[in-house]
Amino acid sequence: MTRRTDWAEYAFPVAPQERGSRGEGGSAEDGDGAHDDMWGDSDAQGAGAPRDDGRARGGRGRGRRRGFGEPADGPQDGGLSFSSRAEKGEPPAADPVEQARAICLRLLTGSPRTRKQLADALRKREIPDEVAEEVLSRFEEVGLIDDGAFAEAWVESRHHGRGLARRALARELRTKGVDSTLIDEAVGQLDTEQEEATARELVARKLRATRGLERDKRLRRLAGMLARKGYPEGMALRVVRQALEDEGEDMEELGDGEF
């Protein structure tokens, strides 16, 4: 395990001289305080506490709480105009390593990200590949990037929150650049029994909305809903048929293979 001081030294390095320093009769300009902006509320500096430049902290409005993996508002690649660099705490463009660190930290503050997502963001900002590789590897070393933990949390959140089945979850994780081995381990948290139990809960919630429709239309609508969430066709049809039978629908004349 990396020492806390290792992470602190890496994430918040001593500010370069050109960022501002305390001279005789001078004042601190930027420095480490620039990094505080990326984290929002900080244990070291609470809401309403004055910044180094005298402005009150916590004046920005806050929106709704985002769910797991939901991106923050605004550009996904952490793009900033030159005029807003100092305000946002981004290092000068002349120092690509510091710039890459700041971009990654800001994105990770908004939501967990995979290594590929961060690499794509750095590429869009035209960070050199060798610099991006160095920064991303260091972030993995200190635990700020962990694709395995990301995949496990994604499965837990999206299955219980959206009712997604293993197939749909694996597809989403592939689009985020997670390694296939890590995907298999993450979706392996769900077994067939748990997946089917979730499918039954989904159908039970939607069943009332289909009342009054013809039996076949109800069957197609409910089974189609499960299919879109990644449930196998056989499981979807079996779960829906059972739910309709429990409501008194005659399903005997419907063939087992009809969907």
Side-chain angles (χ1 to χ4, degrees):
M1 180 178 298
T2 305
R3 294 181 298 108
R4 183 179 182 88
T5 51
D6 290 341
W7 150 237
E9 292 169 1
Y10 186 74
F12 304 107
V14 177
Q17 186 67 28
E18 58 267 26
R19 286 205 204 160
S21 60
R22 294 186 183 275
E24 294 182 4
S27 61
E29 308 244 350
D30 298 337
D32 290 343
H35 291 281
D36 291 340
D37 289 341
M38 294 180 286
W39 290 101
D41 293 56
S42 170
D43 292 337
Q45 188 170 4
R51 300 172 185 260
D52 289 343
D53 58 0
R55 289 178 295 156
R57 192 175 189 83
R60 299 176 185 173
R62 296 186 179 181
R64 62 181 179 83
R65 182 183 295 274
R66 295 188 296 275
F68 180 85
E70 185 176 349
D73 295 336
Q76 290 297 301
D77 62 348
L80 292 173
S81 65
F82 179 81
S83 62
S84 65
R85 258 191 205 123
E87 180 182 346
K88 296 295 184 182
E90 181 178 332
D95 188 348
V97 172
E98 289 298 304
Q99 188 181 19
R101 284 176 177 169
I103 292 170
C104 290
L105 285 171
R106 186 167 55 251
L107 291 175
L108 288 169
T109 300
S111 175
R113 309 291 173 117
T114 64
R115 177 167 178 144
K116 181 181 182 299
Q117 288 177 306
L118 294 174
D120 290 345
L122 295 179
R123 191 174 299 112
K124 289 179 182 179
R125 293 299 308 277
E126 299 182 352
I127 300 295
D129 290 342
E130 62 275 13
V131 172
E133 181 68 22
E134 173 190 342
V135 171
L136 294 174
S137 295
R138 180 57 177 155
F139 270 48
E140 281 187 327
E141 290 177 10
V142 300
L144 289 176
I145 300 176
D146 188 338
D147 283 1
F150 178 96
E152 291 177 2
W154 185 270
V155 168
E156 177 73 16
S157 173
R158 300 285 282 179
H159 177 72
H160 292 291
R162 297 288 302 279
L164 299 185
R166 288 174 290 186
R167 185 167 58 185
L169 293 166
R171 182 170 58 246
E172 289 185 341
L173 289 171
R174 279 194 297 271
T175 65
K176 297 183 180 301
V178 179
D179 182 79
S180 58
T181 302
L182 297 177
I183 292 176
D184 291 342
E185 293 176 357
V187 299
Q189 299 177 67
L190 303 175
D191 56 27
T192 302
E193 291 182 2
Q194 184 176 356
E195 200 173 44
E196 184 165 333
T198 302
R200 294 187 186 281
E201 292 174 3
L202 291 170
V203 170
R205 290 203 296 263
K206 297 290 185 180
L207 200 60
R208 180 180 298 178
T210 67
R211 288 172 184 164
L213 299 177
E214 296 180 356
R215 180 201 62 190
D216 292 352
K217 183 174 290 187
R218 297 183 78 188
L219 177 66
R220 288 194 298 271
R221 182 168 297 184
L222 293 169
M225 177 268 295
L226 292 180
R228 288 190 296 274
K229 290 181 178 292
Y231 290 89
E233 179 178 331
M235 179 187 291
L237 185 59
R238 182 174 66 254
V239 168
V240 174
R241 283 171 61 99
Q242 182 62 54
L244 293 177
E245 284 180 355
D246 292 344
E247 280 210 338
E249 293 279 9
D250 183 8
M251 307 299 292
E252 290 185 2
E253 63 184 50
L254 191 66
D256 291 339
E258 294 187 40
F259 179 16

